[in-house]
Amino acid sequence: MSSFHLTQGDTPVLVSMPHAGTHLTPQVEAGLSHRGLSLIDTDWHIPRLYDFLDAQGVGRLQAKYSRYVVDLNRSADDKPLYAGATTGLFPEVDFDGEPLYRAGHAPSKDARDWALDNVWRPYHLALSEELARLRRRFGYAVLFDAHSIRSQVARLFDGQLPDINLGTNDGGSCDATLSDRLESVCAAQSSYSWVVNGRFKGGFITRHYGTPNKDVHAVQLELSQVTYMEEPREGALVDASTTFPYREREAKQVQALLIALVEELLVWRPRREPETIG
């Protein structure tokens, strides 16, 4: 099967969802622990939360495979993105540091090579080609990398995460005027806490594809899952039978803010107006 689903839009904006997939390869599924089979670190319900994109004419690239098969938001050489605790290209522990695999059952090198060639590379080829298409058509492209995470993960950050975590690689992945507009949207509301370039500054996708000098601007949003779903409490026991329910009322409330953020991406224009290519 294809490793991703691409919906092309008719605006300069593309939304990437690299951690929304839940499909597993047979070897990964066979080796995962009971806890690992819960896929607890998935960006749960992200495609549903962003179901307004079609009405806005915004394209999306959505992963089908779980990040436990291969993490699409890590570089192919597995270079660490953050100092301190993190997870890699082929995770063997979850965000809490718990082993994902039963002893001796981690994927083989051949299985990892397959995942790199058949999951990671096709996703990034599609991402780069779609951004190039948008840039040819509009003269520039805007990539919005959509993520979510539990609001409390002691191994990764202290206390409770802000609700909205925007990352621009410390200003390197997009024009400052774009970041300013997104900050203004966050500052204009009081329902959700927010930060820019806090614990999450943008992963490999944001850092690699966000090249403002080449008219591609990238922003990552790490959304606290407590804003829209029933997230597991820290230390809770989870296994393959665990579900992580979507909370319709809360989701609609935070969705209004997401819509406002994407609308800003749509109305924004680069300070240096690029030439479109027919």
Side-chain angles (χ1 to χ4, degrees):
M1 76 172 201
S2 171
S3 65
F4 61 86
H5 177 73
L6 172 64
T7 301
Q8 291 187 323
D10 56 7
T11 73
V13 178
L14 174 67
V15 175
S16 168
M17 305 175 182
H19 291 155
T22 57
H23 191 75
L24 298 170
T25 60
Q27 189 176 77
V28 168
E29 185 172 15
L32 285 172
S33 65
H34 290 302
R35 177 182 172 87
L37 286 168
S38 73
L39 307 184
I40 188 173
D41 298 328
T42 301
D43 289 5
W44 292 105
H45 310 296
I46 285 294
R48 183 176 179 182
L49 194 62
Y50 285 84
D51 63 6
F52 58 86
L53 294 176
D54 289 345
Q56 293 179 316
V58 175
R60 72 170 73 184
L61 179 64
Q62 177 183 332
K64 293 183 179 180
Y65 280 88
S66 168
R67 68 189 302 161
Y68 292 168
V69 173
V70 61
D71 193 328
L72 299 172
N73 203 26
R74 301 293 186 270
S75 64
D77 62 6
D78 206 11
K79 183 178 179 179
L81 295 170
Y82 295 99
T86 186
T87 54
L89 182 65
F90 300 104
E92 293 196 20
V93 298
D94 64 19
F95 288 166
D96 295 315
E98 297 294 330
L100 286 175
Y101 294 95
R102 293 178 287 113
H105 288 79
S108 65
K109 182 181 183 303
D110 285 346
R112 292 180 173 185
D113 288 344
W114 182 93
L116 196 62
D117 289 339
N118 294 277
V119 180
W120 193 95
R121 289 196 171 95
Y123 189 91
H124 283 274
L125 179 61
L127 182 53
S128 61
E129 288 182 344
E130 183 61 8
L131 289 172
R133 183 186 75 84
L134 296 177
R135 185 175 175 274
R136 287 194 301 270
R137 178 174 174 184
F138 298 100
Y140 69 100
V142 178
L143 173 62
F144 190 77
D145 207 37
H147 296 261
S148 72
I149 192 171
R150 285 175 283 152
S151 61
Q152 297 186 54
V153 185
R155 179 172 173 264
L156 301 184
F157 49 83
D158 295 332
Q160 183 158 327
L161 193 69
D163 298 321
I164 306 293
N165 301 266
L166 293 168
T168 65
N169 193 22
D170 286 327
S173 66
C174 73
D175 191 286
T177 60
L178 177 57
S179 179
D180 289 346
R181 293 188 75 135
L182 298 180
E183 288 188 47
S184 295
V185 172
C186 293
Q189 56 79 47
S190 58
S191 299
Y192 301 101
S193 57
W194 61 280
V195 69
V196 178
N197 293 314
R199 169 58 178 82
F200 296 98
K201 302 177 185 295
F204 172 73
I205 288 174
T206 301
R207 302 181 195 203
H208 179 72
Y209 293 99
T211 51
N213 62 324
K214 298 179 180 179
D215 298 312
V216 179
H217 304 263
V219 178
Q220 176 177 300
L221 171 57
E222 193 78 55
L223 179 66
S224 175
Q225 290 178 342
V226 74
T227 63
Y228 71 93
M229 61 174 276
E230 187 176 317
E231 62 176 18
R233 288 178 303 211
E234 189 153 16
L237 296 177
V238 295
D239 58 26
S241 66
T242 306
T243 59
F244 305 96
Y246 189 78
R247 304 167 98 176
E248 190 71 42
R249 185 182 68 178
E250 289 83 353
K252 282 189 178 298
Q253 291 175 350
V254 77
Q255 196 176 57
L257 179 55
L258 299 179
I259 291 171
L261 290 170
V262 174
E263 286 177 345
E264 286 299 318
L265 301 179
L266 291 170
V267 300
W268 174 81
R269 296 292 183 272
R271 286 179 289 188
R272 179 182 66 83
E273 191 67 31
E275 295 182 4
T276 58
I277 303 173

